[in-house]
RNA sequence: GCUGAAGUGGUGGAAUUGGUAGACACGUUGGACUUAAAAUCCAAUGGCCAUUAUGGCCGUGCGGGUUCAAGUCCCGCCUUCAGUACCA
């Protein structure tokens, strides 16, 4: 019998699907285990060999946990809202829903043939109305909540209204907009409903606000900070500008501290936690109020160094700051306006790139030092960012490099407030070594004490207090796109109203064009039927809008991260029509035990989803406030691109060895036309149906009779022609080979290049494995008693593989399998007692061949339900061991010694040995070091 | 600049956490089988020197150190990758 992998794999994939082998039940006597993958965006290009890496790892782990007797939840779905389907729609007119459906079908086919143990009965798609109904529902819950700092959780907005009616807002300790006005209960009760709504909007966890956003004209939409890379859009690399727009925002800042604290109790990688910490950017300091122009205005600043308050010699405002216009003196007005205009013209990117140039201008205004009452000149400088803190710095040139540079440049005074420090050359910013001087009541104090004292004194005069500042900004939640979740929102007099949850979902309307409207409204503005009738509670024709019973609906849609921020909860009870998941299901599954996905989501998805989980926890919807106990970032599989070299301005292409000193242009070619020795298949290339024409008249200059291509390791992408399709690998070598090889390539977390040539190693391992059980006459396995050697091989394999899986070192267990099969082949092992458990060990990695051999062994149930073999140490125990004997650390020879020998006996035996005596040459050793089971070292 | 990760043969990578560095695999070379090729099997494969038994020296980015013993620990550098950046 031959190892016919294609037949075997198709057979078992069908078996698993028909028998629902991997369907998880929402209750069980077994302990639960939840293994989650980051669900994919179904792109039109399909999967390449890099995509399944994490899925294979999680699948191995899920299968292993099943063997160990866990009730395993291992679901999969699709993050199916997104830009590419929409852009395809703009180009071709095809509805994104159709594109998405087709792409999902391709993904599913590709995933199925790799043999994953997913429970497909729980599949989710974020673009499915039955799913986004609950995304809309969560949005409404956020709208109906505010953050109470006293209880440190989200609470019902109705409670806040009651409070306002009883005692006004003076005692309310909420996370809210900065510019809240104080009011009494009496004042509140006198307000109209509309006015009250406007105020409540400043408290809600999702709110409508005029915000400065990252506008990408090319994409016609706003982008979140994490969707911008190096000042251009992550997708497409288009320029991004700042623009003010009315947008929905998420008050994630309310959760900044809890998002930070929560990192302590989850087992995620240090680098990922560190990224999130940096992104949240907590800094502790003080807020200080400076009076300006004899109390005409007040400027609030945030500083981490209140201890340096006496070193302030000027203040700097961001050019965009609201106060600039107000405080500028008439003499300075022209200069200031010119400067503000000039900075506004510079793009964010230019400003970032050009850090060295110091620019700024004096406003003519002076602030008053809170203690010395000395006048402090107020400047504007573009090194101060409007978006951080209050957009103002109290400049302490002696203690801050940037302030120092600014002061030097404009010849401003640099008072020294540090004891024994020379600041004539550069600023001194080492907190720990600081002793304050020339600072009145702070003199002689160190950083810690001076900070405390300064804050105390500021509080005494009512001009400041201790403050913690976070870099984390509220997240803009509106996108001017079609292919996203519609908001369950309509507008009455410009004020947003939620649609009652019983009428959800609000489904996407049909539109003729997927572009913004001529008046610049988002694509939903093209819909003819997109208004809300409060009498029938239905979506109706726009024409019927009368602002008494029929109102316009929100035209924006939600961003990509909306649907992915809670999907892990949906899998627990994916088809529930009445809740995101039933209480029973949520309480049973609790949270994700193992989450595997890419690190590129560190400050996007992985932060937003933690935020939503904490919110849902506050509202009692979910039972845990961190949803993933452990997270592993799989590395990326890179492609090995191939290049041909065209001589500039000609139609001749030079082989790699000939390009020296020539002016050549490297051009990507499809990797499938290059063999393992980097030789180009010229005929194949010229016959390529896509690009063959381009190479028809090309002259290839060979070296030694062949054309050698250049190589480079790059990210796999269609445009680099270095994509390797798993379909081809599966057809040529089988899914089990693909799975083993992806694991064998190297550590899971690491970035590593794909090289198809290497797959022959794992493929021949599978053939050897097959031969161990089966020959031309059929099954070789029998009930013979296993030999000691075979038992040893089996048990050391059990131990190693178990350790490997638990440490996620899947690469080394593949080697372990190879060694085991080689040893057993040499031992001519035919014993069922050895070969049966071996199959269970291999089955998480290579499930198809394991199932086939398992059934040949006479089982009529899936190997997936078999128990993981028990490790028995007794089989590893050897009576003796070959000890390396070294002299002064250098290995000289080996000696066979019994393992149960005591240290003293070993020492005696070794010293008595004639080889030892020979080495010693009559000398007496100083010391003999015996490490039982490992080594004997003689010093002397 | 800061933060995090990492530097081991021609290549991907092992090394039980201080105990025989280079497991396993690719590639390469030689051989067997074959008319031939594929497939399969066997052998060699870190470098240098020596030798026809045996051996010796060097070797885990660089320079020091601790130790009987260092890829692993300590100190000082260098390089690469990733994230982040006028964050007050």
């Amino acid at each position: 019998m031959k190892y016919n992998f294609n037949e075997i794999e198709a057979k078992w994939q069908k078996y698993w699907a028909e028998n629902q082998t991997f369907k998880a039940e929402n209750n069980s006597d077994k302990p639960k285990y939840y293994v989650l993958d980051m669900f994919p965006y179904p792109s039109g290009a399909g999967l390449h060999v890099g995509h399944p890496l994490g899925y294979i790892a999680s699948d191995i782990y899920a299968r292993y946990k099943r063997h160990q007797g866990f009730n395993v939840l291992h679901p999969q779905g699709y993050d199916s809202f997104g830009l590419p389907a929409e852009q395809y729609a703009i180009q071709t007119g095809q509805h994104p829903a159709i594109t998405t459906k087709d792409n999902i079908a391709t993904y599913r086919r590709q995933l199925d043939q790799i043999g994953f143990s997913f429970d497909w009965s729980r599949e989710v798609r974020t673009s499915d109305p039955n799913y986004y109904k609950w995304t809309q529902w969560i949005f409404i819950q956020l709208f109906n909540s505010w953050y109470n700092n006293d209880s440190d959780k989200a609470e019902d907005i109705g409670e806040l209204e009651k409070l306002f009616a009883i005692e006004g807002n003076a005692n309310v300790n909420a996370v809210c907009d900065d510019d809240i006005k104080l009011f009494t209960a009496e004042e509140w009760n006198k307000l109209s409903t509309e006015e009250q709504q406007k105020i409540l909007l400043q408290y809600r966890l999702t709110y409508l606000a005029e915000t400065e956003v990252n506008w990408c004209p090319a994409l016609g939409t706003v982008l979140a900070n994490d969707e911008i890379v190096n000042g251009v859009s992550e997708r497409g690399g288009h320029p991004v500008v700042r623009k003010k727009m009315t947008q929905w925002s998420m008050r994630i800042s309310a959760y900044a501290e809890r998002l930070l604290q929560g990192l302590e109790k989850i087992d995620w990688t240090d680098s990922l936690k560190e990224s999130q910490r940096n992104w949240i950017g907590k800094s502790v300091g003080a807020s200080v109020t400076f009076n300006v122009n004899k109390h005409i205005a007040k400027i609030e600043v945030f500083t981490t160094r209140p201890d340096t308050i006496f070193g302030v010699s000027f203040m700097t405002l961001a050019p965009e700051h609201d106060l600039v216009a107000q405080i500028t003196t008439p003499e300075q007005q022209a200069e200031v306006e010119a400067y503000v205009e000039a900075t506004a013209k510079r793009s964010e990117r230019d400003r970032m790139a050009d850090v060295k140039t110091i620019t700024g201008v004096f406003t003519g205004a002076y602030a008053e030092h809170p203690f010395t009452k000395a006048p402090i000149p107020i400047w504007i400088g573009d090194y101060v960012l409007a978006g951080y803190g209050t957009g103002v710095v109290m400049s302490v040139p002696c203690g801050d490099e940037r302030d120092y540079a600014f002061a030097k440049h404009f010849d401003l005074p640099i008072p020294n407030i540090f004891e024994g420090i020379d600041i004539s050359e550069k600023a001194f910013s080492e907190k720990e070594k600081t002793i304050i001087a020339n600072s009145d009541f702070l003199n002689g104090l160190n950083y810690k004490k001076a900070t405390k004292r300064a804050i105390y004194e500021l509080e005494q005069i009512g001009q400041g207090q201790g403050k913690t500042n976070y870099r984390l900004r509220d997240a803009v939640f509106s996108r001017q796109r079609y292919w996203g979740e519609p908001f369950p929102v309509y507008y009455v007099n410009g004020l947003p109203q939620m649609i009652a949850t019983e009428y959800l979902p609000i489904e996407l309307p049909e539109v003729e064009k997927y572009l913004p409207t001529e008046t610049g409204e988002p694509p939903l503005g093209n819909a003819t039927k997109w208004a809300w009738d409060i009498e029938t509670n239905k979506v109706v024709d726009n024409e019927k809008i009368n602002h008494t019973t029929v109102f316009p609906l929100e035209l924006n849609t939600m961003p990509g991260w909306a649907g992915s921020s809670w999907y892990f909860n949906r899998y627990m009870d994916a088809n529930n029509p009445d809740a995101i998941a039933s209480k029973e299901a949520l309480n049973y599954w609790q949270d994700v035990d193992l989450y595997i996905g890419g690190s590129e989501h560190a400050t996007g998805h992985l932060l937003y989803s933690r935020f939503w989980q904490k919110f849902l926890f506050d509202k009692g919807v979910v039972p845990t406030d961190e949803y993933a106990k452990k997270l592993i970032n799989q590395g990326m599989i890179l492609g090995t691109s191939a290049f041909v070299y065209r001589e500039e301005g000609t139609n001749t292409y030079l082989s790699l060895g000939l390009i020296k000193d020539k002016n050549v242009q490297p051009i990507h070619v499809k990797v499938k036309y290059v063999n393992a020795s980097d030789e180009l298949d010229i005929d194949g290339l010229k016959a390529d149906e896509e690009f063959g024409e381009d190479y028809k008249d090309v002259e290839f200059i060979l070296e030694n009779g062949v054309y050698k291509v250049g190589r480079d390791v790059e990210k796999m992408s269609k445009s680099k022609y270095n994509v390797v399709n798993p379909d081809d690998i599966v057809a040529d070598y089988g899914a089990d080979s693909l799975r083993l090889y992806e694991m064998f390539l190297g550590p899971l977390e690491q970035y590593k290049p794909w090289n198809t040539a290497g797959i022959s190693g794992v493929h021949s391992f599978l053939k050897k494995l097959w031969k161990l059980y089966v020959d031309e006459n059929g099954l070789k396995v029998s009930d013979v008693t296993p030999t000691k050697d075979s038992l040893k091989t089996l048990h050391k394999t059990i131990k190693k593989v178990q350790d490997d899986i638990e440490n996620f070192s899947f690469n080394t267990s593949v080697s372990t399998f190879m060694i085991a099969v080689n040893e057993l082949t040499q031992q001519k092992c035919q014993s069922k007692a050895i070969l049966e458990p071996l199959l269970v060990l291999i089955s998480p990695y290579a499930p198809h061949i394991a199932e086939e051999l398992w059934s040949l062994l006479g089982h009529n149930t899936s190997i997936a339900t078999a128990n993981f073999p028990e490790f028995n140490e007794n089989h590893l125990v050897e009576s003796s061991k070959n000890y390396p004997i070294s002299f002064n650390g250098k290995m000289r020879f080996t000696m066979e010694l019994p393992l149960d020998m005591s240290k003293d006996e070993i020492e005696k035996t070794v010293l008595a040995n004639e080889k030892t005596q020979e080495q010693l040459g009559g000398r007496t050793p100083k010391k003999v070091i015996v490490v039982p089971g490992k080594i004997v070292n003689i010093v002397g």
Side-chain angles (χ1 to χ4, degrees):
Chain A
M1 270 170 34
K2 240 192 98 189
Y3 170 44
N4 188 337
F5 49 86
N6 286 325
E7 209 171 277
I8 291 169
E9 289 174 0
K11 172 178 160 187
W12 288 103
Q13 282 160 16
K14 194 169 160 231
Y15 174 92
W16 295 329
E18 281 173 358
N19 291 277
Q20 301 199 318
T21 309
F22 305 113
K23 191 165 162 39
E25 296 302 333
N26 279 356
N27 54 69
S28 167
D29 300 336
K30 299 175 183 173
K32 70 98 187 181
Y33 203 91
Y34 185 177
V35 182
L36 180 68
D37 291 298
M38 287 186 186
F39 62 168
Y41 173 78
S43 85
L47 292 176
H48 63 62
V49 289
H51 291 117
L53 179 72
Y55 304 155
I56 294 170
S58 66
D59 197 57
I60 289 169
Y61 205 80
R63 286 173 180 269
Y64 166 72
K65 280 287 169 185
R66 283 192 200 95
H67 288 312
Q68 288 214 313
F70 286 85
N71 184 28
V72 173
L73 173 56
H74 186 38
Q76 189 57 287
Y78 305 96
D79 189 11
S80 48
F81 272 134
L83 264 153
E86 177 157 343
Q87 286 188 323
Y88 190 73
I90 291 166
Q91 284 157 20
T92 65
Q94 174 162 289
H95 196 286
I98 296 170
T99 312
T100 303
K101 201 171 138 247
D102 292 350
N103 292 349
I104 286 176
T106 306
Y107 265 60
R108 179 62 190 275
R109 182 186 59 73
Q110 289 189 295
L111 289 171
D112 278 349
Q113 67 178 2
I114 301 173
F116 293 118
S117 64
F118 294 130
D119 177 358
W120 283 108
S121 72
R122 295 169 184 263
E123 181 195 304
V124 302
R125 299 178 185 193
T126 56
S127 61
D128 180 345
N130 292 323
Y131 179 89
Y132 69 66
K133 168 180 177 177
W134 297 105
T135 312
Q136 292 172 341
W137 181 84
I138 294 169
F139 175 83
I140 294 170
Q141 306 311 306
L142 283 155
F143 183 81
N144 289 331
S145 303
W146 63 291
Y147 200 89
N148 185 345
N149 277 328
D150 289 337
S151 61
D152 204 16
K153 60 183 246 190
E155 291 182 2
D156 203 79
I157 200 87
E159 298 300 313
L160 188 65
E161 279 182 88
K162 277 186 207 158
L163 263 176
F164 287 170
I166 297 166
E167 54 168 64
N169 69 347
N171 293 321
V172 170
N173 185 8
V175 180
C176 55
D177 290 1
D178 295 332
D179 49 348
I180 297 267
K181 290 198 182 77
L182 287 181
F183 51 79
T184 62
E186 206 178 323
E187 285 166 331
W188 170 261
N189 292 326
K190 268 191 219 151
L191 294 173
S192 69
T193 316
E194 267 180 33
E195 286 167 320
Q196 289 182 342
Q197 291 221 351
K198 274 184 195 161
I199 288 169
L200 286 173
L201 209 46
Q202 299 184 297
Y203 286 87
R204 295 179 191 272
L205 282 181
T206 185
Y207 58 97
L208 211 47
E210 171 103 329
T211 39
E212 188 152 279
V213 296
N214 305 301
W215 175 254
C216 179
L219 294 173
T221 191
V222 301
L223 298 170
N225 285 337
D226 61 278
E227 291 169 314
I228 301 165
V229 177
N230 297 329
V232 296
S233 68
E234 185 185 25
R235 180 168 288 283
H238 304 293
V240 175
V241 297
R242 308 285 295 172
K243 185 178 170 181
K244 284 215 167 187
M245 282 178 83
T246 300
Q247 301 276 302
W248 284 102
S249 280
M250 285 282 162
R251 217 178 286 280
I252 187 173
S253 56
Y255 284 86
E257 186 60 32
R258 281 170 66 191
L259 287 168
L260 199 60
Q261 294 302 324
L263 292 173
E264 303 296 328
K265 61 177 181 187
I266 50 181
D267 182 12
W268 292 17
T269 60
D270 288 338
S271 68
L272 197 139
K273 287 200 217 177
E274 199 56 33
S275 306
Q276 292 211 344
R277 283 192 196 106
N278 289 339
W279 196 259
I280 295 167
K282 178 179 183 174
S283 39
V284 181
S287 120
V288 185
T289 310
F290 289 80
N291 292 319
V292 182
N293 289 359
K294 313 249 175 332
H295 304 244
I296 289 170
K298 283 176 196 272
I299 297 181
E300 201 189 319
V301 304
F302 172 76
T303 176
T304 53
R305 298 295 303 272
D307 57 317
T308 63
I309 184 101
F310 287 93
V312 176
S313 66
F314 60 101
M315 295 184 77
T316 318
L317 266 71
E320 300 90 341
H321 201 282
D322 292 339
L323 274 179
V324 171
Q326 197 185 325
I327 61 170
T328 302
T329 56
E331 306 84 66
Q332 293 298 107
Q333 197 166 348
E335 207 183 330
V336 167
E337 274 171 11
Y339 182 72
V340 170
E341 202 178 318
T343 23
K345 266 192 201 150
R346 295 176 76 190
S347 70
E348 192 85 341
R349 207 182 179 191
D350 290 345
R351 244 171 105 170
M352 275 195 324
D354 182 21
V355 178
K356 300 254 149 42
T357 322
I358 295 162
T359 63
V361 54
F362 180 47
T363 62
Y366 289 88
E368 180 193 87
H369 192 283
F371 297 117
T372 68
K373 307 293 174 196
I376 303 166
I378 303 174
W379 284 66
I380 306 173
D382 72 353
Y383 79 96
V384 179
L385 304 176
Y388 185 77
T390 57
V392 194
V393 267
M394 57 172 231
S395 304
V396 183
C398 65
D400 182 281
E401 279 173 48
R402 293 150 303 167
D403 296 345
Y404 190 89
F406 196 85
K408 278 267 172 194
H409 189 263
F410 292 107
D411 206 17
L412 294 161
I414 307 177
N416 189 354
I417 52 154
F418 299 119
E419 204 169 286
I421 303 288
D422 173 26
I423 52 144
S424 60
E425 290 301 320
K426 60 175 195 235
F428 176 75
S429 55
E430 289 172 63
K431 286 181 193 174
E432 303 312 320
K433 294 181 189 164
T434 299
I435 302 290
I436 304 290
N438 302 326
S439 297
D440 195 355
F441 50 82
L442 298 179
N443 286 343
L445 299 178
N446 65 19
Y447 160 71
K448 252 190 171 163
K449 285 183 178 165
T451 301
K452 226 172 155 185
R453 179 73 191 273
I455 292 172
Y456 171 80
E457 296 291 343
L458 283 165
E459 279 171 356
Q460 291 307 301
I461 57 169
Q463 282 192 255
Q465 67 268 317
K467 193 181 173 182
T468 302
N469 199 47
Y470 297 92
R471 196 183 84 109
L472 185 68
R473 297 267 73 92
D474 282 349
V476 176
F477 199 66
S478 296
R479 295 291 183 276
Q480 294 67 48
R481 312 299 312 184
Y482 174 76
W483 194 230
E485 297 87 348
F487 284 85
V489 172
Y490 63 95
Y491 288 90
V492 177
N493 293 332
L495 284 171
Q497 311 295 323
M498 294 297 120
I499 288 167
T501 53
E502 66 244 53
Y503 304 115
L504 300 181
I506 302 303
E507 295 194 34
L508 271 174
E510 292 303 319
V511 295
E512 275 187 25
K513 288 192 319 179
Y514 300 95
L515 285 167
T517 65
E518 279 163 17
T519 52
E521 285 178 328
L524 293 194
N526 290 315
T528 48
K529 187 181 169 185
W530 197 238
W532 187 250
D533 182 341
I534 58 166
E535 282 180 336
T536 60
N537 286 306
K538 282 202 169 101
V539 175
V540 297
D541 220 292
N542 289 345
E543 308 229 325
K544 296 190 179 155
I545 291 174
N546 56 24
H547 299 289
T548 52
T549 55
V550 179
F551 300 94
L553 280 156
E554 168 72 56
L555 296 178
N556 287 297
T557 53
M558 298 188 197
W561 55 270
S564 60
S565 291
W566 68 281
Y567 75 111
F568 36 86
N569 289 313
R570 184 65 175 170
Y571 283 135
M572 297 178 186
D573 192 11
N575 302 305
N576 192 321
D578 305 318
I580 68 168
S582 73
K583 275 268 174 282
E584 295 73 41
L586 285 159
N587 283 328
Y588 177 73
W589 292 110
Q590 292 276 322
D591 54 6
V592 175
D593 294 281
L594 174 66
Y595 193 14
I596 295 186
S599 55
E600 65 273 23
H601 300 107
T603 52
H605 159 63
L606 288 173
L607 198 59
Y608 297 130
S609 53
R610 290 182 60 224
F611 157 46
W612 276 29
Q613 183 74 5
K614 285 182 189 303
F615 167 72
L616 292 172
F617 174 77
D618 286 355
K619 302 296 281 185
V621 178
V622 298
T624 58
D625 73 336
E626 287 290 346
Y627 70 89
K629 284 199 193 87
K630 181 169 179 67
L631 181 132
I632 290 185
N633 294 126
Q634 92 273 17
M636 201 181 282
I637 291 186
L638 304 166
T640 312
S641 307
F643 298 91
V644 292
Y645 300 93
R646 178 165 72 184
E647 198 170 359
E648 207 70 61
T650 69
N651 215 14
T652 52
Y653 286 58
L654 302 177
S655 181
L656 180 66
L658 309 171
I659 61 171
K660 230 180 163 189
D661 308 324
K662 292 271 170 61
N663 193 7
V664 292
Q665 176 193 8
I667 298 166
H668 280 97
V669 288
K670 288 190 184 175
V671 285
K672 69 174 180 182
Y673 297 121
V674 181
N675 70 10
S677 316
D678 296 349
E679 290 159 7
L680 180 70
D681 171 10
I682 296 171
D683 295 336
L685 180 66
K686 289 194 175 187
D688 186 77
E689 41 186 71
E690 215 178 325
F691 299 106
E693 275 300 300
D694 300 352
Y695 292 99
K696 217 173 125 199
D697 303 322
V698 167
E699 190 191 352
F700 286 93
I701 312 292
L702 312 180
E703 51 177 324
N704 306 325
V706 292
Y707 187 96
K708 289 251 185 193
V709 298
R711 290 288 205 174
D712 198 10
V713 173
E714 300 176 289
K715 216 168 149 172
M716 264 196 198
S717 105
K718 222 173 150 186
S719 61
K720 295 187 178 111
Y721 304 112
N722 58 3
V723 171
V724 179
N725 190 328
D727 297 12
D728 298 338
I729 303 295
V730 168
D732 295 347
Y733 302 95
D736 286 337
S737 291
L738 175 73
R739 293 170 62 109
L740 281 171
Y741 189 51
E742 295 227 350
M743 292 299 104
F744 184 72
L745 272 178
L748 183 60
E749 287 96 334
Q750 204 163 296
Y751 280 58
K752 51 217 171 237
W754 177 267
N755 172 18
T756 304
I759 202 171
S760 63
V762 293
H763 188 63
S764 61
F765 156 72
L766 288 172
K767 287 195 271 192
K768 285 179 198 164
L769 176 72
W770 183 258
K771 277 196 203 154
L772 185 59
Y773 291 79
V774 176
D775 61 17
E776 57 277 11
N777 304 315
L779 196 68
K780 279 166 43 179
V781 180
S782 69
D783 285 327
V784 295
T785 319
T787 63
K788 247 184 152 180
D789 281 350
S790 298
L791 278 167
K792 187 178 158 190
T793 299
L794 173 68
H795 284 271
K796 85 176 179 200
T797 307
I798 296 174
K799 177 137 181 46
K800 183 73 167 67
V801 170
Q802 183 155 10
D803 287 353
D804 282 347
I805 296 182
E806 273 161 17
N807 294 315
F808 304 97
S809 328
F810 302 112
N811 54 328
T812 48
S813 24
V814 180
S815 299
T816 308
F817 294 140
M818 291 179 178
I819 294 165
V821 167
N822 282 339
E823 285 181 6
L824 293 172
T825 305
Q826 259 175 26
Q827 295 159 13
K828 300 205 173 15
C829 176
Q830 300 196 352
S831 168
K832 198 172 173 181
I834 302 291
L835 296 175
E836 201 170 81
L838 181 72
L839 275 187
V840 182
L841 294 181
I842 294 176
S843 114
Y845 291 79
H848 307 88
I849 191 171
E851 286 279 18
E852 179 69 12
L853 292 169
W854 188 252
S855 88
L856 284 175
L857 285 174
H859 295 275
N860 51 19
T861 51
S862 166
I863 194 170
T865 58
N867 286 329
F868 199 78
E870 215 153 295
F871 169 61
N872 185 343
E873 200 169 356
N874 293 330
H875 294 298
L876 294 195
V877 172
E878 301 161 71
S879 58
S880 66
K881 162 107 191 175
N882 212 14
Y883 276 77
I885 312 296
S886 46
F887 288 79
N888 294 326
K890 284 224 164 120
M891 215 276 278
R892 295 293 156 169
F893 59 92
T894 61
M895 256 179 94
E896 184 94 5
L897 294 168
L899 263 173
D900 54 4
M901 217 181 206
S902 75
K903 270 190 173 188
D904 289 351
E905 280 175 296
I906 292 175
E907 190 175 327
K908 257 188 226 160
T909 319
V910 170
L911 287 177
N913 184 276
E914 60 180 70
K915 275 194 191 160
T916 313
Q917 290 303 325
E918 195 183 305
Q919 286 287 337
L920 282 170
R923 283 165 297 153
T924 353
K926 263 192 210 150
K927 200 163 39 156
V928 179
I929 295 154
V930 179
V931 184
K934 284 187 174 166
I935 196 165
V936 177
N937 189 23
I938 298 160
V939 186

